[in-house]
Amino acid sequence: MNYRLLFLLGLGAVVPAVHAQTVPAPAAGLIASLETKASRYTTGTGLVTFFSTAPLEDIEALNSKVGAIFEMATGQLAFSMLMSDFQFKNGLMQEHFNENYAESEKYPRARFTGKLLTVPDEAQLRSGPQAVYVQGQLTIHGVSRKMRVPGTLQLRDHDLVVTSKFAVAPADYRIKIPALVRNNIAKSIDVSVIMTCQPTPAPTASQ
């Protein structure tokens, strides 16, 4: 992983100061053990999908170019993706998504920044997926909202595997749905996250 991704995500810049809190006590054991191996995990090929059931046609899209940083020493994390990287089976639907709903040229990037609330110890993480919660801020369409989302963490060899599922309401992010198709689009969209993050040396002060 090169540092261009780290710069684009800019963990220090995109994680709001409000999230710079003391790491909860349950995280202390994990942080101490992981620091002997890696304190930062990153990926540029994370997977985010969204799905919405609609009367006329289900809406589904996939983005496999999601960047992410997990700072295990602080419990902070950040995801970042280009809205235009979402791929639809229906080309016309993809065009409408970018031009009429997401307005991808005006609001090109979506972000999630947050902090792990609880972290299992290393032995648990190596035994299988462990349930965790993250409190943070999701920014879509130029609107930021606080969220508390569930997920799982697992250590597989040297990699950190992260999953999460949560719902997003387009109206919460001022995404306008034309009246003509409003009844054909669900008010809430299911979002799934799957990421396999590799250990990455943190940049030194000189970098």
Side-chain angles (χ1 to χ4, degrees), residues 129-177:
Q130 302 296 312
V132 295
Y133 278 92
V134 176
Q135 184 168 307
Q137 188 167 266
L138 178 63
T139 301
I140 303 173
H141 199 241
V143 178
S144 298
R145 293 180 63 89
K146 291 181 180 179
M147 296 187 70
R148 183 175 182 268
V149 299
T152 68
L153 294 178
Q154 182 181 9
L155 281 171
R156 294 180 183 170
D157 296 324
H158 300 295
D159 295 338
L160 180 69
V161 180
V162 183
T163 70
S164 181
K165 291 185 178 181
F166 53 94
V168 171
D172 288 343
Y173 296 89
R174 300 175 190 164
I175 296 174
K176 296 179 181 180
I177 308 300

Side-chain angles (χ1 to χ4, degrees), residues 56-80:
L56 294 181
E57 184 178 10
D58 291 343
I59 300 172
E60 186 172 12
L62 179 153
N63 188 332
S64 60
K65 299 178 181 179
V66 182
I69 298 174
F70 285 79
E71 290 280 7
M72 301 306 293
T74 62
Q76 292 178 308
L77 58 91
F79 300 165
S80 181

Side-chain angles (χ1 to χ4, degrees), residues 27-45:
L30 173 74
I31 290 171
S33 61
L34 284 185
E35 282 185 328
T36 62
K37 298 178 177 62
S39 62
R40 169 175 290 184
Y41 291 83
T42 67
T43 183
T45 56

Side-chain angles (χ1 to χ4, degrees), residues 100-122:
N100 303 326
Y101 304 137
E103 296 181 277
S104 298
E105 287 192 7
K106 186 176 181 180
Y107 307 104
R109 192 172 292 275
R111 299 180 187 271
F112 180 85
T113 63
K115 191 178 185 73
L116 295 166
L117 297 182
T118 58
V119 184
D121 62 33
E122 184 178 358

